[in-house]
Amino acid sequence: MAERTVRVVIVDDHSIFRSGLRADLDASVEVVGEAADAASAVAVIAATAPDVVLLDVHLPAGAGAASGPDAAGGEAVIREAAPSVPSTRFLALSVSDAAEDVVRVIRAGARGYITKGSSGAEVSSAVHAVADGDAVFSPRLAGFVLDAFGAAVGETATTNDELDRLSSREQEVMRLIARGYAYKEVAAELFISMKTVESHVSAVLRKLQLSSRYELTAWASARRLL
């Protein structure tokens, strides 16, 4: 069965990067628009209603935009665009791995954060994961997310008690998912079907009383299980 097509908008102020990324994305990722600044991005996103927006965190405000730092940057695009396109998800793609950038854009509503060192295949995989409702970010950035959001998900039971709720296979799946693996990568790694992976992930989230992959990564990072 062919992988479904995901419609994306690329937002980055470097045209060469946008062109290179467009060329490197898988055929299952259709670029329906581009923008080089925050104001243009909001307009393009409203006009195209993409499944996913690939968004740099550092952007100029653009012509006609209000002045000041709140009018620029990836978080400004999310705040302005998200209300008009509720089904669109935002994935930060930046050269920066600074903690403040990661936390700021996730607080604004991004579903993930990956760096520009990612390959076209990795970005494509992340796009599909985010489109499917998962949260995706580079595993080494998990500590930043934990610092900002980890306290709430860490206040459950002790690590051993929680791990005892999971079967050995569920623990294997949990660690891979928490490290940022896509479902199909987990399936290949463990020689099981995608449907089985989905079943295990649902069981893990239910048993640990978590609601998303994002919370699972923060939970695992807090317990040094990655």
Side-chain angles (χ1 to χ4, degrees), residues 7-221:
R7 301 169 65 254
V8 305
V9 164
I10 300 173
V11 181
D12 192 281
D13 60 341
H14 294 95
S15 62
I16 292 178
F17 176 78
R18 296 197 308 271
S19 299
L21 178 59
R22 180 193 281 264
D24 283 346
L25 291 171
D26 291 352
S28 61
V29 179
E30 178 189 3
V31 179
V32 297
E34 296 182 7
D37 57 62
S40 298
V42 172
V44 170
I45 293 166
T48 59
D51 300 307
V52 176
V53 177
L54 282 166
L55 182 68
D56 195 1
V57 298
H58 296 295
L59 294 167
S67 60
D70 289 342
E75 69 275 14
V77 173
I78 297 172
R79 284 196 305 268
E80 291 296 319
S84 66
V85 285
S87 64
T88 294
R89 296 184 170 96
F90 296 82
L91 174 61
L93 177 60
S94 177
V95 70
S96 171
D97 60 2
E100 58 269 24
D101 288 334
V102 177
V103 172
R104 187 170 62 245
V105 75
I106 290 176
R107 283 193 188 280
R111 293 290 299 174
Y113 193 116
I114 57 178
T115 62
K116 287 183 177 178
S118 304
S119 67
E122 289 169 336
V123 175
S124 299
S125 177
V127 164
H128 276 278
V130 168
D132 289 339
D134 289 330
V136 177
F137 50 90
S138 301
R140 64 194 181 87
L141 303 180
F144 301 152
V145 179
L146 175 64
D147 288 342
F149 306 100
V153 298
E155 296 169 355
T156 50
T158 64
T159 302
N160 287 339
D161 287 344
E162 289 172 317
L163 285 177
D164 285 344
R165 301 174 192 171
L166 308 180
S167 69
S168 58
R169 177 63 87 185
E170 287 169 350
Q171 290 185 36
E172 290 177 323
V173 171
M174 176 271 293
R175 285 184 169 88
L176 292 174
I177 290 294
R179 289 171 185 160
Y181 281 56
Y183 284 10
K184 65 181 178 181
E185 294 171 326
V186 176
E189 183 77 13
L190 299 179
F191 301 101
I192 56 180
S193 69
M194 285 263 294
K195 186 173 182 179
T196 300
V197 173
E198 292 171 359
S199 177
H200 284 318
V201 171
S202 294
V204 168
L205 294 177
R206 183 182 69 253
K207 291 179 180 181
L208 297 181
Q209 299 178 22
L210 303 173
S211 61
S212 67
R213 284 183 56 156
Y214 163 73
E215 287 190 357
L216 178 61
T217 299
W219 179 92
S221 179

